[in-house]
Amino acid sequence: MRVGAWLRKKAVEVENPDDVPTGQIPAASIAAIIAEVDGETSPAEGTEAVEAASKTDVESTTTGPADLEQALADRQALIQLCLYALDRARSGGVVERLEHGLAGIGVRALRPDGERFDPAVHEAGGAVATEDPALEGLVAETEVVGFADHDRVLRAPIVIVYAKKAQ
């Protein structure tokens, strides 16, 4: 099941819009509190109503391990699709928007220009000669942007490295 289908399924399963988690107090809890304050229920009945409403809210939003695995698989598929689109984008605005969207979910672009070349993290795509010993071994330019999902490298950046000029 893809993300869109999963979301549509979840939307159909939620019958009461008050049960949708919004970071706010559910309407059933508010009603129970008001009834208790107005004296329409005893404190014990009001507390039971609030607890029952809270339990229902938690149960309606809990997902099983299979749903979590599917959501994570869908997330990875969408990330790969975005990387594919980034590689083919011709508009700087589109590239910027895709990178911004990916950054919002923890996927960051890796552009190591000026950093020390590290073969464990970077892929050498070429070298450019330099006479400056301070530049030797530094990344001169990023040819292909890399990406990391939090701490996990999805794609190493391909870079041009400064190398000592042959004499």
Side-chain angles (χ1 to χ4, degrees), residues 6-86:
W6 183 80
L7 289 174
R8 283 191 296 279
K9 179 181 174 218
K10 283 306 210 186
V12 170
E13 290 176 358
V14 177
E15 296 175 7
N16 183 350
D18 293 334
D19 290 342
V20 177
T22 62
Q24 299 174 359
I25 299 172
S29 297
I30 294 171
I33 293 167
I34 291 170
E36 182 180 333
V37 170
D38 289 343
E40 296 174 9
T41 62
S42 70
E45 291 173 336
T47 303
E48 289 170 10
V50 170
E51 288 173 1
S54 296
K55 184 177 179 185
T56 302
D57 291 338
V58 170
E59 288 171 355
S60 69
T61 60
T62 303
T63 59
D67 289 338
L68 179 59
E69 287 178 25
Q70 183 62 49
L72 290 173
D74 289 346
R75 179 182 183 273
Q76 287 302 324
L78 288 171
I79 289 170
Q80 291 304 317
L81 182 63
C82 287
L83 295 181
Y84 178 85
L86 273 167

Side-chain angles (χ1 to χ4, degrees), residues 67-116:
D67 289 338
L68 179 59
E69 287 178 25
Q70 183 62 49
L72 290 173
D74 289 346
R75 179 182 183 273
Q76 287 302 324
L78 288 171
I79 289 170
Q80 291 304 317
L81 182 63
C82 287
L83 295 181
Y84 178 85
L86 273 167
D87 290 341
R88 287 148 184 81
R90 299 288 178 234
S91 164
V94 170
V95 169
E96 185 179 324
R97 179 65 188 108
L98 284 168
E99 284 186 8
H100 180 74
L102 286 169
I105 62 166
V107 178
R108 60 186 167 80
L110 303 175
R111 290 185 181 87
D113 297 358
E115 295 178 13
R116 175 103 6 230

Side-chain angles (χ1 to χ4, degrees), residues 144-159:
V144 178
V145 178
F147 288 90
D149 187 359
H150 299 284
D151 291 335
R152 186 173 62 95
V153 174
L154 299 174
R155 179 172 77 188
I158 301 174
V159 298

